[in-house]
Amino acid sequence: MPKAFGYTRADDKAAKAGGKGQQEYRILVVAEKYQTGFDQPLLTTMYVNKTLTGIAAVQTLSRLNRTAERKSQADLAVLDFVNDAEDIQDAFRPYFEEAHTLPTDPNLLYTAQSRVMSAPIISEQDMDEFVAAYFEAQEKAGGSQSKWEKLHAELYRLLSPAVTRFTALLESEEGDDVEAAEEFRANLNDYVRKYGFLAQIVPYRDAELERLYLYGRYLLNRLPRLADGGVDIGEVDLSHLRVEKTGEHDVSLNPEGAAELKGFGDGIGGAKDAEKSLLSELIEKFNARFGTEFTEEDVLPAFNATKKDPKVRAAALVNDEENFGIVFDKKFEENMMDHVSTIDTLGKRYFGTDRDFKSNLDRSARRAAWRMIRREEGLDDI
């Protein structure tokens, strides 16, 4: 792919002399894969139509950061249909000047392992049988992808006992059982992520850690979820499209000294204060844009009621931020209506004629809820 896009007729002496030349490619449509690792120095322009956050924003937009003859900074442009300039700037800030982090404690992996094994779901025998079958299947496949896929059915069958135990808790009428099932899922996801990262830098020689990683990686894909809140929009036809220029933004950063990046810490989720600051930060940006003075407490009752709704939580797990809004925005509006008597000033603006005000508040609340829910469920990136 880089080679195909690296060809230009302007640099082909044979083509300029009247020869046929090669096919010239100018536009590459990317879903996920080429957001990272794609190295094409001639790339100058990027059209963004998906939400980019954190390291994903840095890695994606940095595809433009390659030098080539006759290519200059003035040639680069990003046309973004989704993200706020301030959010992109914030994503780059920790990596702009110098970043350092405290060493990660290798014992964190044993702590995470203990959390997973404390639940009555995984047994030692289940893991031993699965691992033995896994390596036997690898040997039988002999590198053949088609043979390996056929052997997958047997591997998944060996996951059934744990899946059955998990499902029994998840479908129980006891709230504590359901909570235990979801806590197990989060703990297992936390362990798999930590092992995948730490094993690259810490020479673990404990076969039990690798066994749980191998087993857990496959088990996570088989654990069922509660009612799916996803929305099927496959039958929807686009009838109208409006393109509106929101501005040209210079998100250059200024040196401010070294930044400290967080390494792995004990526990599987962020503190509640961190979540509260996320909503507060979005409210501050909202106030700066509209000249208002609303506080987090003004929005919190409606926000919390929406965030705790089971369908909203399920939707956050199976949708990106934009499609999550199909479920969240409607429920958030309903809850705003329920709380409008206690936030009269905000209610008048929200349900008034200023559509931009409402859509921006919806988007701010949606973004905070999507991030918080996914973080709570252990789906945030490393």
Side-chain angles (χ1 to χ4, degrees):
M1 191 72 76
K3 183 178 179 181
F5 278 87
Y7 173 82
T8 63
R9 290 180 182 273
D11 295 331
D12 189 338
K13 294 180 180 179
K16 288 196 289 185
K20 184 177 180 182
Q22 301 178 30
Q23 173 70 45
E24 193 174 47
Y25 297 95
R26 292 174 175 267
I27 299 176
L28 175 65
V29 180
V30 175
E32 296 286 349
K33 185 174 181 180
Y34 288 108
Q35 282 186 252
T36 60
F38 181 69
D39 186 13
Q40 176 43 260
L42 297 181
L43 187 66
T44 60
T45 306
M46 191 177 293
Y47 300 85
V48 179
N49 197 32
K50 65 179 295 183
T51 302
L52 299 175
T53 58
I55 189 63
V58 176
Q59 291 178 322
T60 301
L61 298 179
S62 292
R63 298 310 97 203
L64 293 171
N65 189 24
R66 301 291 185 271
T67 59
E69 187 179 358
R70 300 191 302 276
K71 176 181 174 181
S72 69
Q73 188 76 21
D75 296 322
L76 305 185
V78 177
L79 184 59
D80 196 324
F81 296 97
V82 178
N83 303 281
D84 289 337
E86 294 84 357
D87 292 336
I88 297 298
Q89 186 181 53
D90 290 343
F92 273 83
R93 193 181 305 281
Y95 311 96
F96 171 62
E97 191 171 1
E98 176 187 350
H100 60 82
T101 181
L102 297 175
T104 297
D105 182 1
N107 292 320
L108 287 175
L109 199 54
Y110 288 99
T111 303
Q113 178 197 33
S114 177
R115 288 196 187 100
V116 173
M117 298 307 297
S118 65
I121 295 175
I122 294 180
S123 74
E124 300 284 344
Q125 182 179 348
D126 290 343
M127 289 192 290
D128 287 339
E129 291 178 356
F130 177 86
V131 171
Y134 177 88
F135 288 115
E136 183 181 348
Q138 267 195 333
E139 186 175 345
K140 287 182 179 179
S144 170
Q145 184 64 28
S146 58
K147 289 182 180 179
W148 175 251
E149 290 174 355
K150 291 179 181 178
L151 293 167
H152 260 200
E154 174 63 16
L155 293 177
Y156 284 138
R157 184 185 67 79
L158 293 172
L159 297 172
S160 296
V163 172
T164 300
R165 298 182 199 110
F166 177 86
T167 304
L169 289 176
L170 190 67
E171 296 179 351
S172 170
E173 295 183 358
E174 297 292 331
D176 291 344
D177 288 345
V178 176
E179 185 176 341
E182 293 299 351
E183 183 178 357
F184 169 80
R185 189 204 307 276
N187 286 334
L188 182 59
N189 184 65
D190 176 64
Y191 176 83
V192 168
R193 291 189 306 116
K194 282 180 177 174
Y195 184 93
F197 177 76
L198 292 174
Q200 300 178 56
I201 55 177
V202 179
Y204 291 109
R205 292 183 174 84
D206 190 334
E208 291 188 1
L209 294 178
E210 185 175 359
R211 179 185 63 171
L212 178 56
Y213 170 72
L214 185 61
Y215 181 83
R217 203 156 49 97
Y218 282 83
L219 180 60
L220 277 173
N221 293 328
R222 307 296 290 178
L223 297 181
R225 294 191 179 276
L226 293 173
D228 186 351
V231 178
D232 183 2
I233 59 173
E235 301 299 322
V236 175
D237 292 326
L238 179 65
S239 61
H240 296 80
L241 178 66
R242 183 182 70 174
V243 178
E244 178 183 351
K245 182 177 179 180
T246 60
E248 296 181 11
H249 306 277
D250 179 1
V251 293
S252 301
L253 293 167
N254 296 314
E256 297 177 356
E260 182 173 308
L261 301 180
K262 293 182 179 179
F264 275 121
D266 191 18
I268 61 172
K272 292 185 176 179
D273 287 345
E275 292 184 353
K276 185 175 181 180
S277 66
L278 173 59
L279 182 59
S280 297
E281 181 181 342
L282 292 170
I283 294 298
E284 287 175 9
K285 291 181 179 179
F286 181 83
N287 285 335
R289 177 167 183 173
F290 289 93
T292 52
E293 296 181 355
F294 299 123
T295 66
E296 181 178 328
E297 283 66 31
D298 291 327
V299 182
L300 206 57
F303 177 81
N304 279 341
T306 309
K307 178 172 166 281
K308 292 177 181 177
D309 186 275
K311 291 183 178 179
V312 171
R313 297 189 68 83
L317 303 181
V318 297
N319 289 288
D320 58 22
E321 184 181 320
E322 183 177 357
N323 287 327
F324 169 62
I326 298 173
V327 177
F328 177 87
D329 291 0
K330 182 178 179 181
K331 194 65 182 177
F332 183 64
E333 181 177 340
E334 292 176 2
N335 286 316
M336 284 290 286
M337 193 172 296
D338 291 339
H339 294 90
V340 71
S341 59
T342 61
I343 48 172
D344 188 49
T345 304
L346 177 57
K348 288 180 179 178
R349 290 290 302 271
Y350 184 80
F351 292 105
T353 57
D354 190 346
R355 291 176 177 266
D356 190 38
F357 181 92
K358 180 181 184 301
S359 65
N360 273 273
L361 183 57
D362 286 346
R363 185 173 65 177
S364 296
R366 177 202 316 152
R367 179 169 299 173
W370 187 79
R371 292 179 183 177
M372 289 181 190
I373 293 171
R374 292 178 67 84
R375 182 183 301 164
E376 291 166 3
E377 298 296 335
L379 294 181
D380 51 334
D381 295 332
I382 291 176

